[in-house]
Amino acid sequence: MGRPKVALITGITGQDGSYLADFLLDQGYEVIGMVRRSSTVNFDRIRHIQDRITIAQGDLLDQMSIVDILREHRPHEVYNLAAQSFVPTSWKQPVLTGEFTALGVTRMLEAVRIVDPEIRFYQASSSEMFGKVKQTPQNEDTPFHPRSPYGVAKVYGHYITVNYRESYGLFACSGILFNHTSPRQGLEFFTPKITHGAVQIKRGQASKLYLGNLDARRDLGYTPDYVRAMWLMLQQDHPDDYVVASGETHSVREVCQLAFGQLGLNWEDYVVVDPQFLRPADVDLLVGDASKARRVLGWEPTLNFEALIHLMVQANLKAA
Ligand code: GDP
């Protein structure tokens, strides 16, 4: 028996990282999670697997810490999911967002190049790169027009990944993932904010739900489906970039209608638009064309929009 496959995940304490760790453990991988030192690290999302994974302290801002982790653990695959990932925060901390979300990718790629250029590398790119969309639906060839410092930083991360593939022949893939949610997504993002808020109102624990732009449209999927696509990209014969999306678009308003409706409530009685949740520039319409991922990776989502909102509402009811 050879050494089991080893995967390093940055951002393992986040939504995507925790589901990817679950998935890779099921596949028989040894999983290393890179975590930034902090006096209050939040391990909630990986508590159920904490005794099956190895935590390594490192930081996307610290080049040597990444080199050291790769030298010590010698992973076969690296999944770079760590980032400052909340769009509104990126206007408040644009420089820090660039350090983590943009230059952090270069530091990861440099570490791979120096320690072991055979490592397969996954970069978490984002549909926010399409921003003010140039065509609909968006695919791998659609030009980017990011609308936030976060989107701008992700465009850099995408192109530096492509560049290291072309410059050094690294097996580096960029997955352009559209919005995806799950019961593990932070409550600041619109889907859990709405389903959690609707359940609170149903239970009499809140009377209103304050939201921003109700007309924004997103292509929304289920996170466990999306982390499977990340893994599939690294199992191919050649590195490439892929859009991962449901192919449907729904407005924030529709999510409200459905979530409140599933609880027997009329959303219009409770949702209030609060200007503090409006953005200096927003992304109006995202809808992805994942036909390449379906064709080449054999990827298929398992949950449609209605089933996903139902799952979110049920999870919030259960947690309450
Ligand atoms: P994003 O696509 O990564 O920015 O994901 P979000 O879940 O943060 O936001 C998705 C869309 O929902 C954006 O276009 C927001 O303008 C819109 N939106 C409307 N109300 C809210 C809100 O209260 N919170 C958040 N996060 N987004 C909202």
Side-chain angles (χ1 to χ4, degrees):
M1 279 258 300
R3 180 172 168 251
K5 279 243 191 138
V6 179
L8 172 73
I9 303 174
T10 75
I12 195 166
T13 57
Q15 175 191 211
D16 289 17
S18 66
Y19 280 111
L20 180 63
D22 290 345
F23 176 83
L24 293 175
L25 287 172
D26 281 349
Q27 304 287 318
Y29 277 70
E30 187 183 324
V31 174
I32 317 294
M34 187 171 108
V35 173
R36 225 171 351 134
R37 205 212 83 83
S38 141
S39 57
T40 52
V41 186
N42 185 346
F43 284 120
D44 287 355
R45 296 185 180 93
I46 51 170
R47 207 164 304 286
H48 62 293
I49 49 171
Q50 233 174 314
D51 55 349
R52 299 170 62 202
I53 61 178
T54 303
I55 295 296
Q57 271 191 15
D59 197 312
L60 283 182
L61 301 190
D62 187 337
Q63 180 73 68
M64 272 316 290
S65 72
I66 306 166
V67 170
D68 282 346
I69 288 174
L70 294 191
R71 284 205 176 120
E72 183 179 345
H73 297 281
R74 297 311 299 254
H76 302 91
E77 298 173 6
V78 169
Y79 295 86
N80 185 40
L81 312 185
Q84 190 303 96
S85 64
F86 191 46
V87 170
T89 300
S90 77
W91 277 283
K92 298 220 157 74
Q93 296 187 301
V95 176
L96 190 70
T97 299
E99 283 287 352
F100 281 117
T101 306
L103 281 178
V105 187
T106 308
R107 295 190 191 98
M108 291 302 300
L109 288 162
E110 276 290 90
V112 166
R113 184 178 73 81
I114 290 163
V115 176
D116 178 5
E118 296 299 309
I119 290 173
R120 295 189 171 204
F121 181 83
Y122 175 85
Q123 168 57 18
S125 290
S126 164
S127 56
E128 288 290 319
M129 302 191 303
F130 296 122
K132 195 168 159 59
V133 298
K134 299 273 195 257
Q135 67 184 52
T136 297
Q138 297 90 45
N139 65 25
E140 293 80 4
D141 298 320
T142 303
F144 300 133
H145 185 148
R147 294 274 278 170
S148 62
Y150 168 83
V152 173
K154 281 288 180 186
V155 170
Y156 175 96
H158 171 78
Y159 279 127
I160 200 70
T161 302
V162 173
N163 182 262
Y164 271 56
R165 181 168 75 219
E166 294 176 355
S167 301
Y168 303 112
L170 295 189
F171 195 109
C173 299
S174 170
I176 306 174
L177 270 51
F178 281 62
N179 292 64
H180 43 281
T181 192
S182 70
R184 292 188 204 166
Q185 193 181 27
L187 288 180
E188 65 274 30
F189 292 91
F190 84 105
T191 317
K193 183 173 175 181
I194 292 168
T195 60
H196 176 262
V199 165
Q200 277 203 312
I201 289 169
K202 178 73 182 176
R203 291 171 51 85
Q205 292 164 329
S207 52
K208 296 286 175 205
L209 175 61
Y210 298 92
L211 294 172
N213 178 5
L214 303 181
D215 295 316
R217 303 186 70 87
R218 287 291 185 279
D219 178 318
L220 194 62
Y222 182 44
T223 304
D225 288 337
Y226 285 47
V227 301
R228 195 171 66 251
M230 299 175 184
W231 176 78
L232 283 168
M233 287 177 214
L234 297 199
Q235 312 314 310
Q236 304 305 306
D237 290 337
H238 304 287
D240 206 344
D241 308 321
Y242 298 88
V243 159
V244 180
S246 76
E248 287 181 28
T249 186
H250 298 279
S251 65
V252 173
R253 183 179 279 104
E254 281 175 76
V255 174
C256 291
Q257 260 161 5
L258 203 55
F260 282 85
Q262 287 177 1
L263 294 164
L265 301 173
N266 176 13
W267 71 280
E268 285 165 305
D269 296 338
Y270 305 101
V271 170
V272 178
V273 172
D274 181 339
Q276 72 160 303
F277 296 114
L278 298 172
R279 301 176 177 189
D282 207 350
V283 173
D284 297 327
L285 166 71
L286 290 179
V287 53
D289 170 6
S291 47
K292 181 174 165 186
R294 288 172 186 267
R295 190 179 69 248
V296 179
L297 306 177
W299 178 79
E300 287 287 339
T302 61
L303 279 191
N304 67 16
F305 175 68
E306 286 192 13
L308 178 57
I309 301 302
H310 184 74
L311 178 147
M312 293 293 287
V313 169
Q314 292 305 314
N316 288 128
L317 281 171
K318 198 165 159 227

